[in-house]
Short mmCIF file of all heavy atoms in Angstrom, two decimals:
data_model
loop_
_atom_site.label_atom_id
_atom_site.label_comp_id
_atom_site.label_asym_id
_atom_site.label_seq_id
_atom_site.Cartn_x
_atom_site.Cartn_y
_atom_site.Cartn_z
N ALA A 40 93.31 2.47 -42.53
CA ALA A 40 92.39 3.22 -41.66
C ALA A 40 91.37 2.28 -41.02
O ALA A 40 91.02 2.42 -39.84
CB ALA A 40 91.68 4.31 -42.46
N VAL A 41 90.88 1.31 -41.79
CA VAL A 41 89.97 0.30 -41.24
C VAL A 41 90.65 -0.46 -40.11
O VAL A 41 90.08 -0.66 -39.03
CB VAL A 41 89.50 -0.68 -42.34
CG1 VAL A 41 88.68 -1.81 -41.73
CG2 VAL A 41 88.71 0.04 -43.42
N PHE A 42 91.89 -0.83 -40.34
CA PHE A 42 92.62 -1.60 -39.33
C PHE A 42 92.88 -0.78 -38.07
O PHE A 42 92.90 -1.33 -36.96
CB PHE A 42 93.95 -2.10 -39.92
CG PHE A 42 94.66 -3.08 -39.03
CD1 PHE A 42 94.13 -4.32 -38.78
CD2 PHE A 42 95.87 -2.73 -38.43
CE1 PHE A 42 94.79 -5.22 -37.94
CE2 PHE A 42 96.53 -3.61 -37.59
CZ PHE A 42 95.98 -4.86 -37.35
N GLU A 43 93.06 0.52 -38.22
CA GLU A 43 93.28 1.37 -37.06
C GLU A 43 92.09 1.33 -36.11
O GLU A 43 92.26 1.22 -34.88
CB GLU A 43 93.54 2.82 -37.50
CG GLU A 43 94.89 3.06 -38.14
CD GLU A 43 96.03 3.02 -37.15
OE1 GLU A 43 95.78 2.94 -35.93
OE2 GLU A 43 97.19 3.07 -37.59
N ILE A 44 90.88 1.40 -36.64
CA ILE A 44 89.68 1.35 -35.80
C ILE A 44 89.50 -0.05 -35.22
O ILE A 44 89.19 -0.22 -34.03
CB ILE A 44 88.43 1.78 -36.59
CG1 ILE A 44 88.60 3.21 -37.12
CG2 ILE A 44 87.19 1.66 -35.72
CD1 ILE A 44 88.79 4.27 -36.05
N LEU A 45 89.72 -1.06 -36.05
CA LEU A 45 89.62 -2.44 -35.58
C LEU A 45 90.61 -2.71 -34.44
O LEU A 45 90.29 -3.44 -33.50
CB LEU A 45 89.88 -3.39 -36.76
CG LEU A 45 89.79 -4.90 -36.49
CD1 LEU A 45 88.41 -5.28 -35.99
CD2 LEU A 45 90.15 -5.68 -37.76
N SER A 46 91.78 -2.10 -34.52
CA SER A 46 92.82 -2.32 -33.51
C SER A 46 92.35 -1.96 -32.11
O SER A 46 92.66 -2.66 -31.13
CB SER A 46 94.07 -1.49 -33.84
OG SER A 46 94.65 -1.90 -35.04
N ASN A 47 91.60 -0.88 -31.99
CA ASN A 47 91.14 -0.45 -30.67
C ASN A 47 90.18 -1.47 -30.06
O ASN A 47 90.21 -1.73 -28.85
CB ASN A 47 90.48 0.92 -30.76
CG ASN A 47 91.48 2.01 -31.10
OD1 ASN A 47 92.62 1.99 -30.66
ND2 ASN A 47 91.05 2.97 -31.90
N SER A 48 89.33 -2.05 -30.90
CA SER A 48 88.42 -3.09 -30.41
C SER A 48 89.18 -4.35 -30.03
O SER A 48 88.85 -5.02 -29.04
CB SER A 48 87.38 -3.41 -31.49
OG SER A 48 86.53 -2.30 -31.73
N ILE A 49 90.22 -4.66 -30.79
CA ILE A 49 91.04 -5.83 -30.49
C ILE A 49 91.73 -5.67 -29.14
O ILE A 49 91.79 -6.61 -28.33
CB ILE A 49 92.08 -6.06 -31.61
CG1 ILE A 49 91.38 -6.50 -32.90
CG2 ILE A 49 93.13 -7.08 -31.19
CD1 ILE A 49 92.25 -6.43 -34.13
N ASP A 50 92.26 -4.48 -28.89
CA ASP A 50 92.93 -4.23 -27.61
C ASP A 50 91.97 -4.46 -26.44
O ASP A 50 92.35 -5.02 -25.40
CB ASP A 50 93.48 -2.81 -27.57
CG ASP A 50 94.72 -2.64 -28.43
OD1 ASP A 50 95.36 -3.65 -28.76
OD2 ASP A 50 95.04 -1.49 -28.79
N GLU A 51 90.73 -4.03 -26.58
CA GLU A 51 89.74 -4.24 -25.52
C GLU A 51 89.48 -5.73 -25.32
O GLU A 51 89.46 -6.22 -24.19
CB GLU A 51 88.43 -3.53 -25.88
CG GLU A 51 88.41 -2.06 -25.57
CD GLU A 51 88.37 -1.80 -24.07
OE1 GLU A 51 87.31 -1.95 -23.44
OE2 GLU A 51 89.44 -1.46 -23.52
N ALA A 52 89.26 -6.46 -26.42
CA ALA A 52 88.95 -7.88 -26.31
C ALA A 52 90.11 -8.66 -25.71
O ALA A 52 89.91 -9.57 -24.90
CB ALA A 52 88.59 -8.44 -27.70
N ARG A 53 91.33 -8.31 -26.10
CA ARG A 53 92.49 -9.04 -25.58
C ARG A 53 92.68 -8.80 -24.08
O ARG A 53 93.22 -9.63 -23.37
CB ARG A 53 93.76 -8.66 -26.34
CG ARG A 53 94.91 -9.60 -26.00
CD ARG A 53 96.11 -9.45 -26.91
NE ARG A 53 96.56 -8.10 -27.00
CZ ARG A 53 96.43 -7.33 -28.08
NH1 ARG A 53 95.84 -7.81 -29.15
NH2 ARG A 53 96.87 -6.10 -28.10
N GLU A 54 92.24 -7.66 -23.60
CA GLU A 54 92.33 -7.38 -22.17
C GLU A 54 91.17 -8.02 -21.40
O GLU A 54 91.03 -7.82 -20.20
CB GLU A 54 92.32 -5.86 -21.93
CG GLU A 54 93.58 -5.17 -22.41
CD GLU A 54 94.81 -5.54 -21.61
OE1 GLU A 54 94.69 -5.74 -20.39
OE2 GLU A 54 95.89 -5.64 -22.22
N GLY A 55 90.34 -8.79 -22.11
CA GLY A 55 89.27 -9.52 -21.45
C GLY A 55 87.93 -8.81 -21.42
O GLY A 55 87.01 -9.24 -20.71
N HIS A 56 87.78 -7.76 -22.22
CA HIS A 56 86.53 -7.00 -22.24
C HIS A 56 85.78 -7.26 -23.54
O HIS A 56 85.97 -6.56 -24.54
CB HIS A 56 86.82 -5.51 -22.06
CG HIS A 56 87.65 -5.21 -20.85
ND1 HIS A 56 87.16 -5.34 -19.57
CD2 HIS A 56 88.94 -4.81 -20.74
CE1 HIS A 56 88.12 -5.03 -18.71
NE2 HIS A 56 89.20 -4.70 -19.39
N GLY A 57 84.95 -8.30 -23.53
CA GLY A 57 84.19 -8.66 -24.72
C GLY A 57 84.92 -9.69 -25.55
O GLY A 57 86.14 -9.65 -25.69
N SER A 58 84.17 -10.62 -26.12
CA SER A 58 84.79 -11.67 -26.94
C SER A 58 84.22 -11.70 -28.35
O SER A 58 84.42 -12.67 -29.08
CB SER A 58 84.58 -13.04 -26.27
OG SER A 58 83.19 -13.30 -26.12
N LEU A 59 83.49 -10.65 -28.73
CA LEU A 59 82.94 -10.57 -30.09
C LEU A 59 83.19 -9.19 -30.67
O LEU A 59 82.91 -8.17 -30.03
CB LEU A 59 81.42 -10.83 -30.06
CG LEU A 59 80.66 -10.57 -31.37
CD1 LEU A 59 81.10 -11.56 -32.45
CD2 LEU A 59 79.15 -10.66 -31.14
N ILE A 60 83.75 -9.16 -31.87
CA ILE A 60 83.95 -7.91 -32.62
C ILE A 60 83.25 -8.07 -33.96
O ILE A 60 83.50 -9.05 -34.69
CB ILE A 60 85.44 -7.61 -32.83
CG1 ILE A 60 86.13 -7.38 -31.47
CG2 ILE A 60 85.64 -6.39 -33.73
CD1 ILE A 60 87.63 -7.28 -31.55
N THR A 61 82.38 -7.13 -34.28
CA THR A 61 81.60 -7.21 -35.52
C THR A 61 82.00 -6.09 -36.47
O THR A 61 81.99 -4.91 -36.09
CB THR A 61 80.09 -7.11 -35.22
OG1 THR A 61 79.72 -8.14 -34.30
CG2 THR A 61 79.27 -7.27 -36.50
N VAL A 62 82.36 -6.47 -37.68
CA VAL A 62 82.72 -5.50 -38.72
C VAL A 62 81.69 -5.60 -39.84
O VAL A 62 81.41 -6.70 -40.33
CB VAL A 62 84.14 -5.76 -39.27
CG1 VAL A 62 84.47 -4.76 -40.38
CG2 VAL A 62 85.17 -5.67 -38.15
N THR A 63 81.14 -4.47 -40.24
CA THR A 63 80.13 -4.45 -41.30
C THR A 63 80.65 -3.65 -42.49
O THR A 63 81.12 -2.53 -42.35
CB THR A 63 78.82 -3.82 -40.81
OG1 THR A 63 78.39 -4.49 -39.62
CG2 THR A 63 77.74 -3.95 -41.87
N ARG A 64 80.56 -4.28 -43.65
CA ARG A 64 80.97 -3.66 -44.92
C ARG A 64 79.70 -3.31 -45.68
O ARG A 64 78.96 -4.20 -46.12
CB ARG A 64 81.84 -4.62 -45.70
CG ARG A 64 82.26 -4.17 -47.10
CD ARG A 64 83.11 -5.26 -47.74
NE ARG A 64 83.63 -4.89 -49.05
CZ ARG A 64 83.09 -5.24 -50.21
NH1 ARG A 64 81.97 -5.98 -50.22
NH2 ARG A 64 83.64 -4.87 -51.36
N PHE A 65 79.42 -2.02 -45.85
CA PHE A 65 78.18 -1.58 -46.48
C PHE A 65 78.36 -1.35 -47.98
O PHE A 65 79.47 -1.13 -48.47
CB PHE A 65 77.69 -0.28 -45.82
CG PHE A 65 77.22 -0.46 -44.40
CD1 PHE A 65 78.07 -0.21 -43.33
CD2 PHE A 65 75.92 -0.89 -44.13
CE1 PHE A 65 77.64 -0.36 -42.02
CE2 PHE A 65 75.49 -1.05 -42.83
CZ PHE A 65 76.34 -0.79 -41.77
N LEU A 66 77.23 -1.38 -48.68
CA LEU A 66 77.25 -1.18 -50.13
C LEU A 66 77.78 0.20 -50.52
O LEU A 66 78.39 0.36 -51.58
CB LEU A 66 75.83 -1.36 -50.70
CG LEU A 66 75.33 -2.80 -50.87
CD1 LEU A 66 73.85 -2.78 -51.26
CD2 LEU A 66 76.14 -3.55 -51.91
N ASP A 67 77.54 1.20 -49.68
CA ASP A 67 77.99 2.56 -50.01
C ASP A 67 79.47 2.78 -49.69
O ASP A 67 79.95 3.91 -49.73
CB ASP A 67 77.13 3.61 -49.31
CG ASP A 67 77.28 3.58 -47.79
OD1 ASP A 67 78.00 2.69 -47.27
OD2 ASP A 67 76.69 4.44 -47.11
N LYS A 68 80.18 1.68 -49.35
CA LYS A 68 81.62 1.67 -49.03
C LYS A 68 81.93 2.21 -47.64
O LYS A 68 83.09 2.41 -47.29
CB LYS A 68 82.44 2.41 -50.09
CG LYS A 68 82.29 1.82 -51.50
CD LYS A 68 83.15 2.55 -52.51
CE LYS A 68 83.02 1.94 -53.89
NZ LYS A 68 81.66 1.98 -54.43
N SER A 69 80.90 2.47 -46.84
CA SER A 69 81.14 2.83 -45.45
C SER A 69 81.44 1.57 -44.65
O SER A 69 81.18 0.45 -45.10
CB SER A 69 79.94 3.58 -44.86
OG SER A 69 78.80 2.75 -44.79
N VAL A 70 81.99 1.76 -43.45
CA VAL A 70 82.46 0.66 -42.61
C VAL A 70 81.95 0.88 -41.19
O VAL A 70 81.85 2.02 -40.72
CB VAL A 70 84.00 0.59 -42.58
CG1 VAL A 70 84.47 -0.69 -41.89
CG2 VAL A 70 84.60 0.72 -43.98
N GLN A 71 81.65 -0.22 -40.51
CA GLN A 71 81.27 -0.12 -39.11
C GLN A 71 81.99 -1.18 -38.30
O GLN A 71 82.06 -2.34 -38.70
CB GLN A 71 79.75 -0.29 -38.95
CG GLN A 71 79.26 -0.17 -37.51
CD GLN A 71 77.75 -0.16 -37.44
OE1 GLN A 71 77.11 0.82 -37.79
NE2 GLN A 71 77.18 -1.28 -37.00
N VAL A 72 82.55 -0.78 -37.17
CA VAL A 72 83.21 -1.69 -36.24
C VAL A 72 82.53 -1.54 -34.89
O VAL A 72 82.42 -0.43 -34.36
CB VAL A 72 84.72 -1.39 -36.12
CG1 VAL A 72 85.36 -2.31 -35.08
CG2 VAL A 72 85.41 -1.55 -37.47
N GLU A 73 82.08 -2.65 -34.33
CA GLU A 73 81.41 -2.63 -33.03
C GLU A 73 82.01 -3.69 -32.11
O GLU A 73 82.23 -4.83 -32.54
CB GLU A 73 79.91 -2.86 -33.19
CG GLU A 73 79.15 -2.82 -31.87
CD GLU A 73 77.63 -2.86 -32.05
OE1 GLU A 73 77.17 -2.67 -33.19
OE2 GLU A 73 76.93 -3.10 -31.04
N ASP A 74 82.28 -3.30 -30.87
CA ASP A 74 82.82 -4.26 -29.91
C ASP A 74 81.95 -4.28 -28.65
O ASP A 74 81.01 -3.51 -28.51
CB ASP A 74 84.28 -3.93 -29.57
CG ASP A 74 84.46 -2.58 -28.91
OD1 ASP A 74 83.72 -2.27 -27.95
OD2 ASP A 74 85.35 -1.82 -29.34
#
């Protein structure tokens, strides 16, 4: 499930839209992906 969300950001970056993807792993086991 984490990889599914990450995949969408990767598709954007590979098409030339942004060159940084940030993934945050929180103590409460929540996840954040930002592109």
